[in-house]
Amino acid sequence: MNQVMALVDWVLHLSASLKGFGVHLIRVAIFIIFVWIGGLKFFNYEAEGIVPFVANSPFMSFFYTKDAPEYKEYKLKEGEVDVKKQQWHEANGTYVFAKGLGIAIMTFGILTLLGIVWPKVGFVGAGLVFLMTIGTLSFLVTTPECWVPDLGGPEHGFPLLSGAGRLVIKDVCILAGAVVVGADCAQRILARRRD
């Protein structure tokens, strides 16, 4: 029994010592996710894929020239090539907006990662990540495609998330991570002031 308690005690001490490493790991995770996803915004399939979210958002739809739900006629499957539909996306501003969004997303990820060395920069990055994930989570309310549609079966609507909804809900973890790394940066900024 003493050996088991000693092992448990060792695991607890080791786990407690990893808190700082864990906070940095969250920064690295946000960086990887944001740089990767932001970089994908330069590819047409990704730009086309975010159209339902942006077109239905009262905060973002003004970036497009066409109103929802017109986009439904011009949806493309990932990897599909259809010149007529892609011309519609060109006219809509789909690709230009996605590239601008991609640059912003990558910038937020980089700023958050830099919090490892510069807490003030990281604090700004974490704040921007927090705000962005609030915006992303608002898609659960504004985007009909986030819920299983009523196609005649009994399983549809809230709380049944579609593929798009399952993608969005994961941002709750990123939101929590932004709070953790933002709080860490704030603590380090305050500690430097006291020194």
Side-chain angles (χ1 to χ4, degrees):
M1 186 66 166
N2 287 341
Q3 290 177 331
V4 171
M5 292 306 293
L7 178 61
V8 168
D9 195 49
W10 178 81
V11 169
L12 290 172
H13 280 88
L14 176 64
S15 298
S17 73
L18 295 175
K19 181 180 177 185
F21 174 74
V23 171
H24 289 325
L25 202 56
I26 292 170
R27 284 187 177 92
V28 171
I30 289 173
F31 168 77
I32 291 169
I33 292 166
F34 275 55
V35 168
W36 198 333
I37 297 296
L40 288 177
K41 299 292 186 267
F42 286 81
F43 293 89
N44 287 356
Y45 88 94
E46 175 69 13
E48 295 154 2
I50 64 171
V51 170
F53 300 113
V54 177
N56 286 294
S57 171
F59 311 111
M60 300 175 77
S61 60
F62 68 89
F63 285 109
Y64 290 159
T65 59
K66 314 285 186 187
D67 293 327
E70 185 178 336
Y71 67 87
K72 291 183 179 186
E73 297 174 42
Y74 299 94
K75 281 186 173 182
L76 288 149
K77 295 176 182 146
E78 292 180 354
E80 178 184 4
V81 176
D82 183 319
V83 175
K84 181 182 175 190
K85 290 179 179 180
Q86 288 172 324
Q87 287 172 341
W88 181 91
H89 284 285
E90 286 282 350
N92 185 45
T94 298
Y95 305 123
V96 171
F97 169 74
K99 288 174 184 167
L101 180 62
I103 290 167
I105 292 169
M106 289 187 290
T107 301
F108 300 169
I110 291 166
L111 293 173
T112 301
L113 180 68
L114 291 175
I116 291 172
V117 179
W118 297 295
K120 288 180 183 177
V121 173
F123 185 76
V124 170
L128 291 168
V129 168
F130 179 85
L131 292 174
M132 186 180 155
T133 53
I134 291 288
T136 303
L137 289 168
S138 75
F139 296 151
L140 290 172
V141 176
T142 62
T143 308
E145 285 86 349
C146 284
W147 306 99
V148 174
D150 184 355
L151 299 176
E155 298 176 350
H156 59 85
F158 180 85
L160 305 177
L161 294 165
S162 67
R166 293 190 299 272
L167 176 74
V168 169
I169 198 72
K170 293 175 186 172
D171 272 26
V172 171
C173 287
I174 297 173
L175 179 82
V179 170
V180 170
V181 298
D184 175 70
C185 287
Q187 287 175 338
R188 289 166 48 217
I189 292 166
L190 291 171
R192 287 182 183 178
R193 284 185 183 172
R194 286 191 288 265
D195 292 343

